[in-house]
Amino acid sequence: MAKMKLSESTFTLIPEGVTTFKVMEVDDSKYDDFGKLIVKLQTAKGEKHNEQFTLTKNNGELNEGALKAWSYFARTCLNNFSADEIDTQDIVGCYIMATVKHEKYTATKGERAGQEMTSVRLNDYNTASGFGEFVNMTDGVDELDELENEDDLDSFLDD
């Protein structure tokens, strides 16, 4: 029998409760063809979450519910509830607070079909101006609000 070193598993679900996220990236590369936006979020602890908005239905019609959800999300990120139109990249670098909830479901496709899975759902979006309490827990370090990208956040958290 051979002994093998295993790779580190860093995946964990973001715990349930109110969490502040920073918008790290908005992937709109599938918007023109499929009507999809993926917003890549990260917590102060480096946990990552993707919010996906599918703005068109399979038949090409506008998905009103998803458009309303995206609009509310974007306006909340910007703390500008009168905005009529934005560039999707305008929210990169913004912060948003949300209630994290775990939802159980049974996978219907792929390798895990039939298995019970858990997903993370964000609800109750609120504006945020930074990571808030996490900044206070770092003895007055407020550089987190100044970080420009995911690499900066990763290096800050490694220090």
Side-chain angles (χ1 to χ4, degrees):
M1 186 169 8
K3 287 189 178 185
M4 294 179 60
K5 181 154 178 81
L6 302 176
S7 68
E8 280 189 42
S9 176
T10 58
F11 176 78
T12 57
L13 289 175
I14 297 171
E16 289 187 309
V18 177
T19 302
T20 300
F21 295 90
K22 182 174 183 179
V23 178
M24 304 306 287
E25 179 184 343
V26 177
D27 179 356
D28 57 9
S29 62
K30 296 181 181 178
Y31 177 72
D32 289 334
D33 294 332
F34 304 105
K36 292 185 181 190
L37 294 175
I38 299 172
V39 180
K40 298 180 180 191
L41 304 168
Q42 188 165 337
T43 69
K45 293 180 182 177
E47 301 158 314
K48 297 177 182 178
H49 175 76
N50 292 337
E51 275 292 273
Q52 181 170 295
F53 299 92
T54 304
L55 303 172
T56 56
K57 298 177 183 177
N58 288 339
N59 64 6
E61 290 180 19
L62 183 65
N63 182 343
E64 289 285 338
L67 180 59
K68 287 179 183 179
W70 159 249
S71 298
Y72 185 74
F73 180 88
R75 287 179 178 128
T76 302
C77 283
L78 295 169
N79 195 19
N80 180 354
F81 294 91
S82 63
D84 289 344
E85 181 177 87
I86 67 164
D87 182 305
T88 58
Q89 303 307 306
D90 289 349
I91 66 169
V92 173
C94 292
Y95 295 86
I96 191 165
M97 248 184 347
T99 302
V100 175
K101 294 186 179 183
H102 294 171
E103 288 188 358
K104 302 264 186 211
Y105 67 96
T106 302
T108 59
K109 312 183 222 182
E111 294 177 6
R112 297 185 179 177
Q115 293 181 13
E116 186 174 277
M117 309 291 288
T118 303
S119 65
V120 170
R121 180 172 301 275
L122 303 185
N123 295 306
D124 306 324
Y125 302 128
N126 286 295
T127 59
S129 59
F131 283 119
E133 291 179 17
F134 183 79
V135 174
N136 295 335
M137 294 181 344
T138 60
D139 297 323
V141 177
D142 52 7
E143 297 98 61
L144 281 173
D145 291 339
E146 311 268 327
L147 301 179
E148 293 294 326
N149 59 45
E150 188 171 334
D151 294 335
D152 289 345
L153 181 59
D154 288 342
S155 67
F156 178 83
L157 293 171
D158 290 338
D159 290 343

